[in-house]
């Protein structure tokens, strides 16, 4: 199954650390001038980010009314129960453990995109 076959044609933005993730979400740093009303349809978030951890990024996303309802899926290598609980308590919509095998990882991401971008009913856009 490919993304094109399932009509998932959303732009994918990849950032390198937690600070850059927040800069993108809120139009600061290298992303000054980005239209912050254009919120992502889905955020795939790792817990083990450099500079600022994924839980801190999640808390900041949930604390702002502009991004509070954006679907956030934790996609991480951790299977620690405390990470799962903390993620869900802080507002993650889902917690998915990354497969080690790259081809399985790609399949997992494709399934997540199909569900969250095609099957799931999106949050209505605010004007």
């Amino acid at each position: 199954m490919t993304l094109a076959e399932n009509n998932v044609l959303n732009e994918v933005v990849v950032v390198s650390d937690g600070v850059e993730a927040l800069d993108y979400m809120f139009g600061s740093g290298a992303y000054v001038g980005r239209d912050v009303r254009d919120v992502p349809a889905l955020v795939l978030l790792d817990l083990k980010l450099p500079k600022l951890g994924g839980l801190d990024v999640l808390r900041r996303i949930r604390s702002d009314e502009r991004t509070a309802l954006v679907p956030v899926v934790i996609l991480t290598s951790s299977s620690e129960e405390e990470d799962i609980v903390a993620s869900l308590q802080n507002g993650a919509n889902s917690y998915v453990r990354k497969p080690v095998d790259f081809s399985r990882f790609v399949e997992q991401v494709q399934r997540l995109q199909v569900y969250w971008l095609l099957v799931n009913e999106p949050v209505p856009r605010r004007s």
Side-chain angles (χ1 to χ4, degrees):
M1 153 176 30
T2 67
L3 295 181
E5 289 171 350
N6 289 293
N7 299 317
V8 178
L9 302 174
N10 296 58
E11 174 187 11
V12 175
V13 177
V14 178
V15 297
S16 59
D17 59 60
V19 172
E20 187 180 358
L22 291 179
D23 284 347
Y24 178 80
M25 293 295 290
F26 300 108
S28 57
Y31 298 96
V32 166
R34 187 183 86 73
D35 184 356
V36 295
R37 293 173 299 178
D38 184 21
V39 296
L42 173 66
V43 172
L44 299 177
L45 183 62
D46 196 344
L47 293 180
K48 313 278 191 241
L49 294 173
K51 295 186 182 178
L52 185 66
L55 281 177
D56 292 319
V57 172
L58 176 61
R59 287 183 194 106
R60 178 68 177 93
I61 289 170
R62 290 296 180 243
S63 72
D64 191 293
E65 69 178 30
R66 297 170 293 177
T67 57
L69 298 178
V70 171
V72 177
V73 174
I74 303 298
L75 182 61
T76 190
S77 58
S78 174
S79 60
E80 296 293 322
E81 185 175 313
E82 64 190 43
D83 287 339
I84 297 167
V85 170
S87 296
L88 297 172
Q89 284 178 333
N90 282 283
N93 296 89
S94 185
Y95 190 99
V96 177
R97 188 158 184 261
K98 285 189 231 179
V100 176
D101 178 69
F102 183 73
S103 63
R104 293 203 58 223
F105 171 76
V106 170
E107 287 175 21
Q108 189 80 300
V109 169
Q110 288 176 335
R111 281 191 216 112
L112 288 169
Q113 289 178 323
V114 167
Y115 174 76
W116 286 103
L117 300 176
L118 295 177
V119 176
N120 183 59
E121 193 66 34
V123 175
R125 298 280 183 194
R126 297 179 190 168
S127 47

